[in-house]
Amino acid sequence: MNKSAFHQLSYGVYVVSTWDKGRATGCTANSAMQITSAPATIAVSINHDNYTNQCIRDTGKFAISILGENSNPGIIGTFGFKSGKDCDKFDQVEYGVKEYLPVVSDACAYIVCEVVDQMETSTHTVFLGKVLDADILKKDEPMTYSYYHNVIKGKSPKNAPTYIE
């Protein structure tokens, strides 16, 4: 099987964030999608090994910061190649708080959700979230995973669903 075929699926690049006992935390994700428009429901897939997974379970809420093509690519590395258990990722990235959740300021849009259900796979949890708030932060094209790989020349961290050794 040629796993590179999975890179042809359309993905975005997101920072999924929540709180860790009052401290903002989050991780880079490429698996987020709209499930329904009424009621507005979003799904995100977070690796069991990502500290953010446990923090979303604890808080029952998450925010998705949708990165744009002009967002600082360093944000992806900050949230994708370090653990929030070991460092405060938001110390290095400007953010605001929307509906009581941290949102990356350099994103083109955000969506804030309350967890309404979840599904476990062998490696990831798919969290379903009822949308509490969403807005555009700046005019920019949303960054696709293809853009991240082909233009920015980014790599996938080991916990990413698209990681190829």
Side-chain angles (χ1 to χ4, degrees):
M1 172 171 45
N2 183 353
K3 292 183 180 180
S4 294
F6 298 143
H7 290 168
Q8 301 305 308
L9 287 170
S10 179
Y11 298 98
V13 182
Y14 317 101
V15 171
V16 177
S17 56
T18 190
W19 296 106
D20 172 26
K21 300 174 184 84
R23 179 179 63 100
T25 193
C27 66
T28 302
N30 71 339
S31 299
M33 66 179 181
Q34 181 180 345
I35 301 298
T36 61
S37 60
T41 307
I42 300 290
V44 295
S45 176
I46 306 295
N47 191 294
H48 293 153
D49 293 337
N50 283 3
Y51 187 61
T52 303
N53 186 306
Q54 185 58 51
C55 294
I56 292 172
R57 291 173 188 276
D58 292 345
T59 63
K61 294 184 179 179
F62 62 89
I64 303 168
S65 298
I66 303 167
L67 299 183
E69 290 181 356
N70 294 304
S71 294
N72 180 344
I75 294 170
I76 299 164
T78 297
F79 286 91
F81 293 93
K82 300 175 183 178
S83 174
K85 188 184 292 186
D86 304 326
C87 70
D88 187 342
K89 298 177 187 182
F90 279 95
D91 269 351
Q92 303 170 41
V93 175
E94 187 177 327
Y95 71 99
V97 176
K98 305 292 185 182
E99 288 294 317
Y100 310 106
L101 285 169
V103 172
V104 174
S105 298
D106 196 18
C108 62
Y110 72 88
I111 304 169
V112 175
C113 298
E114 177 180 23
V115 175
V116 294
D117 206 349
Q118 64 191 55
M119 180 183 77
E120 299 300 326
T121 72
S122 60
T123 59
H124 287 68
T125 304
V126 177
F127 293 100
L128 290 179
K130 175 179 88 173
V131 176
L132 303 175
D133 189 25
D135 205 355
I136 304 294
L137 294 174
K138 64 180 178 179
K139 187 175 179 172
D140 194 1
E141 288 298 314
M143 185 184 301
T144 64
Y145 209 54
S146 175
Y147 183 91
Y148 170 68
H149 282 288
N150 295 325
V151 177
I152 296 177
K153 304 294 185 198
K155 304 292 182 203
S156 298
K158 190 172 184 178
N159 288 346
T162 56
Y163 174 76
I164 297 175
E165 197 168 343

